[in-house]
Amino acid sequence: MHPPHSSPDGPQRDPYVRTVGRILQKLDHAYRAGRKQLAVLIDPDFGQDEKRLERTVQNACMAKADLIFVGGSLLTSAAFDRCVQRVRELSDRPVVLFPGSPAQLSAHADAVLFLSLISGRNPELLIGHHVTAAPTIKALGIEAIPTGYMLVDGGRPTTVSYVSQTLPIPHDKPGIAAATALAGSLLGLRTIYMDTGSGAERPVSRAMIAAVRAQVDLPIIVGGGIRDAATARGLCDAGADVLVVGTAFEQDPEQIFAMSEAVHG
Ligand code: 1GP
């Protein structure tokens, strides 16, 4: 006989609790082992072109990209869900949502970046959208990864700075980024995402990544404006743990192979 809340394999847990942490654990293990990772970002708008979507996801799998992120557009939830489902069908990689709004949630994903825009001062993006999304995340049973999202100036205004109505951190102020990331870490966030926004002119600087790396013992995700393998390698060497690339692969899905080789060293 076992007590009501246990089984021969150990305590029975709420199914939601069982799924929490699997992708975060992978991110954390890779960070601690010094294994750099590549995430291919699929914009659901782009995902409506079935042939290009297939080619990008197949290349991501063949090139052994570590993760597929989906998100960042203003699409309706139905179209978003269809795109995530299609990526799931085509891919053997973990699928992680990078939502542009609380409507961008899907049961077909493994996890969602639960983003707090800590570089900004917009309360909706620090806690408001989270309150709206939390019951759905729990009902869908997908893992939420508490993420401190920092928008960094990448040379020109991007969709994310316009939509979020927030000022990015100046590109040449690594100290501000480091203090912001440290505050996020002290608040209990589990990963830091530094982004210059999709299609940015330039990525986050190596100096800024190094400054954040020196302050937080967390996986650091870096995205925005990464277009070639040499740049990708340089950002990893500076301390980035996961690189997110979208636009470059939309323009040329074959680039995934060179980028993956550079990231994986
Ligand atoms: C944007 O970090 C992502 O949020 C990817 O940016 O499209 O410029 O690769 P790119």
Short mmCIF file of all heavy atoms in Angstrom, two decimals, residues 41 98 149 193 195 197-200 223-226 244-248, ligand 1:
data_model
loop_
_atom_site.label_atom_id
_atom_site.label_comp_id
_atom_site.label_asym_id
_atom_site.label_seq_id
_atom_site.Cartn_x
_atom_site.Cartn_y
_atom_site.Cartn_z
N LEU A 41 14.53 31.01 -35.09
CA LEU A 41 13.27 31.71 -34.82
C LEU A 41 12.36 31.67 -36.05
O LEU A 41 12.76 32.10 -37.13
CB LEU A 41 13.54 33.17 -34.44
CG LEU A 41 12.29 34.04 -34.26
CD1 LEU A 41 11.44 33.58 -33.08
CD2 LEU A 41 12.67 35.51 -34.09
N PHE A 98 7.99 32.24 -28.21
CA PHE A 98 8.59 33.54 -27.91
C PHE A 98 7.50 34.56 -28.21
O PHE A 98 7.48 35.18 -29.27
CB PHE A 98 9.83 33.70 -28.80
CG PHE A 98 10.50 35.04 -28.75
CD1 PHE A 98 10.63 35.75 -27.57
CD2 PHE A 98 11.04 35.59 -29.91
CE1 PHE A 98 11.26 36.98 -27.54
CE2 PHE A 98 11.67 36.82 -29.89
CZ PHE A 98 11.78 37.51 -28.71
N TYR A 149 13.77 39.85 -20.21
CA TYR A 149 13.98 40.25 -21.60
C TYR A 149 14.49 41.69 -21.63
O TYR A 149 13.86 42.59 -21.07
CB TYR A 149 12.65 40.12 -22.35
CG TYR A 149 12.72 40.43 -23.82
CD1 TYR A 149 13.30 39.54 -24.72
CD2 TYR A 149 12.20 41.62 -24.32
CE1 TYR A 149 13.36 39.83 -26.08
CE2 TYR A 149 12.25 41.91 -25.68
CZ TYR A 149 12.83 41.02 -26.55
OH TYR A 149 12.89 41.30 -27.89
N TYR A 193 17.46 37.30 -21.72
CA TYR A 193 17.41 37.36 -23.19
C TYR A 193 17.73 38.79 -23.59
O TYR A 193 16.97 39.72 -23.30
CB TYR A 193 16.01 36.96 -23.65
CG TYR A 193 15.80 36.77 -25.15
CD1 TYR A 193 14.78 35.94 -25.59
CD2 TYR A 193 16.57 37.38 -26.12
CE1 TYR A 193 14.54 35.72 -26.94
CE2 TYR A 193 16.35 37.18 -27.48
CZ TYR A 193 15.33 36.36 -27.88
OH TYR A 193 15.10 36.16 -29.21
N ASP A 195 18.22 41.34 -26.68
CA ASP A 195 17.73 41.34 -28.06
C ASP A 195 17.82 42.75 -28.65
O ASP A 195 17.38 43.71 -28.00
CB ASP A 195 16.26 40.87 -28.04
CG ASP A 195 15.74 40.47 -29.40
OD1 ASP A 195 16.48 40.55 -30.39
OD2 ASP A 195 14.57 40.04 -29.46
N GLY A 197 16.29 43.13 -31.46
CA GLY A 197 15.05 43.11 -32.24
C GLY A 197 15.28 42.51 -33.62
O GLY A 197 16.38 42.57 -34.17
N SER A 198 14.21 41.92 -34.16
CA SER A 198 14.33 41.24 -35.43
C SER A 198 14.69 42.22 -36.55
O SER A 198 14.09 43.28 -36.67
CB SER A 198 13.01 40.54 -35.75
OG SER A 198 13.24 39.56 -36.73
N GLY A 199 15.70 41.84 -37.34
CA GLY A 199 16.12 42.68 -38.45
C GLY A 199 16.96 43.87 -38.03
O GLY A 199 17.16 44.80 -38.82
N ALA A 200 17.49 43.86 -36.81
CA ALA A 200 18.31 44.98 -36.33
C ALA A 200 19.55 45.15 -37.21
O ALA A 200 20.03 44.19 -37.82
CB ALA A 200 18.73 44.74 -34.88
N GLY A 223 19.86 37.65 -29.26
CA GLY A 223 19.26 37.64 -30.59
C GLY A 223 19.22 39.02 -31.20
O GLY A 223 19.50 40.03 -30.54
N GLY A 224 18.87 39.06 -32.49
CA GLY A 224 18.72 40.32 -33.21
C GLY A 224 19.94 40.65 -34.04
O GLY A 224 21.03 40.82 -33.50
N GLY A 225 19.77 40.68 -35.38
CA GLY A 225 20.82 41.17 -36.27
C GLY A 225 22.03 40.25 -36.43
O GLY A 225 23.07 40.69 -36.88
N ILE A 226 21.89 38.97 -36.07
CA ILE A 226 23.02 38.03 -36.25
C ILE A 226 22.90 37.44 -37.66
O ILE A 226 21.94 36.72 -37.95
CB ILE A 226 22.99 36.91 -35.18
CG1 ILE A 226 23.02 37.53 -33.77
CG2 ILE A 226 24.17 35.95 -35.37
CD1 ILE A 226 22.75 36.53 -32.64
N VAL A 244 19.81 33.37 -31.02
CA VAL A 244 18.53 33.26 -31.72
C VAL A 244 18.68 33.96 -33.07
O VAL A 244 19.05 35.14 -33.12
CB VAL A 244 17.40 33.95 -30.93
CG1 VAL A 244 16.06 33.70 -31.60
CG2 VAL A 244 17.38 33.46 -29.48
N VAL A 245 18.40 33.22 -34.15
CA VAL A 245 18.52 33.80 -35.49
C VAL A 245 17.23 33.56 -36.25
O VAL A 245 16.74 32.43 -36.31
CB VAL A 245 19.71 33.17 -36.26
CG1 VAL A 245 19.84 33.78 -37.65
CG2 VAL A 245 21.01 33.35 -35.48
N GLY A 246 16.68 34.64 -36.82
CA GLY A 246 15.45 34.54 -37.59
C GLY A 246 15.62 35.05 -39.01
O GLY A 246 15.60 34.28 -39.97
N THR A 247 15.83 36.36 -39.15
CA THR A 247 15.84 37.01 -40.46
C THR A 247 16.85 36.37 -41.43
O THR A 247 16.52 36.12 -42.59
CB THR A 247 16.16 38.52 -40.29
OG1 THR A 247 15.21 39.05 -39.36
CG2 THR A 247 16.04 39.26 -41.61
N ALA A 248 18.06 36.09 -40.95
CA ALA A 248 19.10 35.54 -41.84
C ALA A 248 18.64 34.20 -42.43
O ALA A 248 18.92 33.92 -43.60
CB ALA A 248 20.40 35.35 -41.07
C1 1GP B 1 14.40 38.79 -32.64
O1 1GP B 1 16.20 37.75 -31.60
C2 1GP B 1 15.32 37.64 -32.65
O2 1GP B 1 13.70 38.89 -31.47
C3 1GP B 1 15.96 37.36 -33.99
O3 1GP B 1 16.36 38.49 -34.70
O4 1GP B 1 15.43 38.21 -37.00
O5 1GP B 1 17.37 39.74 -36.60
O6 1GP B 1 17.65 37.26 -36.48
P1 1GP B 1 16.72 38.41 -36.28
#
